[in-house]
């Protein structure tokens, strides 16, 4: 029996690295199920597994408990979901205000999910080399919203290498996940941070101004300067599963902070009088876009939780 870290998973094969640095191709036998969630991939990048060496194939027999994971819905219609990565120390949401557009709805859902799973998260605004005046204005506004809440924000260009050193120092020694829409530059960024990988990168379709899912499965790479980085496929939307409505406000840090000033201690910040959150939105202390995202997540149909 050996123990190792899953660094790549294609669905049928899993690449596992053991502590001596050797790589083992493994399969799974039978079924691994996660309680309550139907997943297309029972084992994901970042999982620590035990496997038996066999002369035909190495077989994974056990998954160690995960400290956290990020999950997305597989397709728009299916009810099953896909674990993007597990046991993450640090997440970076790659955002572009244009080419393609990342909406605040999407950002806020990702941030809420990261809070729910206890994963520290930074916002990385990529492609600053390409922004025109109105894009720059948009970027400035977004940055101020998220910095005020307490999220670290970085402006970078994976194309020119601008501010890559700051990112590297944030990533050093940790298991880092990059996420974001298709086409925002996740793979390009990793190519810059860890030369030699030559990850495939895609073209942005000018008509849709969106990416084409160049990266199709998650993969973890070792960083020369210490730590790991996980490239992931672009995600279109982000579900609110595993988040109960009663605790939704916990995942919006600035809403949670002010909510102890609400008149009712079970205030949902939606219809109640003397709600400190609503007052804060009115005077501009809480961004309207954030409140809109909160409202959307509070009112969405249980069945449509995945978006
Ligand atoms: N101008 C500019 N273009 C960039 C930058 N970063 C990435 N791109 C371009 O954006 C396109 C998409 O980049 P990818 O790295 O493939 O994007 P991705 O996020 O990995 O996309 P998926 O794998 O589909 O999720 C490529 O044409 C890159 O050259 C940047 O900083 N500036
Ligand atoms: Mg990619
Ligand atoms: Zn309230």
């Amino acid at each position: 029996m050996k123990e190792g870290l899953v660094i790549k998973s294609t669905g049928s094969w899993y690449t596992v690295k053991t502590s001596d640095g050797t790589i083992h191709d493994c399969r799974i036998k039978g079924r691994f199920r996660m309680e309550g969630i139907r997943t297309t991939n029972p084992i994901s990048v970042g999982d620590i597994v035990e496997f038996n060496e066999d002369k035909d194939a190495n077989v994974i027999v056990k998954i160690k408990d995960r400290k956290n994971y990020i999950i997305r819905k597989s397709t728009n219609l299916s009810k099953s979901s896909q674990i993007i990565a597990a046991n993450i120390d640090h997440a970076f949401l790659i955002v572009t205000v244009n080419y393609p557009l990342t909406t605040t709805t999407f950002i806020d859902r990702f941030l809420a999910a990261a809070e729910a799973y206890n994963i520290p998260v930074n916002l990385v605004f990529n492609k600053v080399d390409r922004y025109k005046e109105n894009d720059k204005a948009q970027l400035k506004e977004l940055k101020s919203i998220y910095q005020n809440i307490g999220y670290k924000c970085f402006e970078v260009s994976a194309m020119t290498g601008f501010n890559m050193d700051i990112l590297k120092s944030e990533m050093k020694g940790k298991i880092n996940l990059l996420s974001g829409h298709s086409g925002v530059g996740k793979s390009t960024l990793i190519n810059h941070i860890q030369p030699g990988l030559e990850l495939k990168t895609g073209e942005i379709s000018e008509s849709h101004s969106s990416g084409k899912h160049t990266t199709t499965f998650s993969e973890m790479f070792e960083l020369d300067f210490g730590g790991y980085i996980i490239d992931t496929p672009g995600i279109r939307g982000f579900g609110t599963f595993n988040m109960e409505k009663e605790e939704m406000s916990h995942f919006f840090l600035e809403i949670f902070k002010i909510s102890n000033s609400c008149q009712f201690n079970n205030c949902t910040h939606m219809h109640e009088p003397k709600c400190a959150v609503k007052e804060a939105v009115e005077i501009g202390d809480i961004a309207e876009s954030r409140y809109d995202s909160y409202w959307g997540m509070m009112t969405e149909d249980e069945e449509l939780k995945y978006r």
Side-chain angles (χ1 to χ4, degrees), residues 262 267-269 275-277:
C262 294
C267 187
T268 64
H269 324 303
C275 167
V277 172

Side-chain angles (χ1 to χ4, degrees), residues 131-148:
Y131 292 158
K132 305 194 179 82
E133 284 314 310
N134 52 339
D135 299 325
K136 284 183 189 153
Q138 181 71 19
L139 168 66
K140 200 172 155 203
E141 194 181 326
L142 283 183
K143 245 180 97 173
S144 104
I145 290 176
Y146 292 102
Q147 276 174 337
N148 277 341

Side-chain angles (χ1 to χ4, degrees), residues 182-183 185-188 199-202 213-216 231-234:
S182 180
K186 299 176 292 297
S187 301
T188 309
L199 301 180
K200 212 169 129 201
T201 61
H213 293 277
T214 308
T215 306
T216 50
D231 193 13
T232 64

Side-chain angles (χ1 to χ4, degrees), residues 124-131 136 139 143 153-168 189 192-193:
V124 177
F125 295 91
N126 190 28
K127 306 202 186 185
V128 295
D129 61 280
R130 214 184 150 175
Y131 292 158
K136 284 183 189 153
L139 168 66
K143 245 180 97 173
C153 297
F154 304 104
E155 290 182 33
V156 307
S157 167
M159 187 84 114
T160 66
F162 176 63
N163 274 346
M164 285 294 128
D165 286 347
I166 302 179
L167 277 192
K168 281 186 179 177
L189 212 142
H192 221 288
I193 285 181

Side-chain angles (χ1 to χ4, degrees), residues 289-300:
S289 61
R290 290 279 293 170
Y291 187 66
D292 288 347
S293 297
Y294 172 75
W295 187 278
M297 288 164 81
M298 287 298 281
T299 51
E300 87 185 330

Side-chain angles (χ1 to χ4, degrees), residues 244-257 259 267-269 294 298:
E244 297 301 329
K245 291 203 168 140
E246 301 77 61
E247 53 178 25
M248 196 68 81
S249 67
H250 299 218
F251 310 133
F252 285 75
L253 300 183
E254 78 281 40
I255 291 181
F256 186 58
K257 209 159 149 193
S259 64
C267 187
T268 64
H269 324 303
Y294 172 75
M298 287 298 281

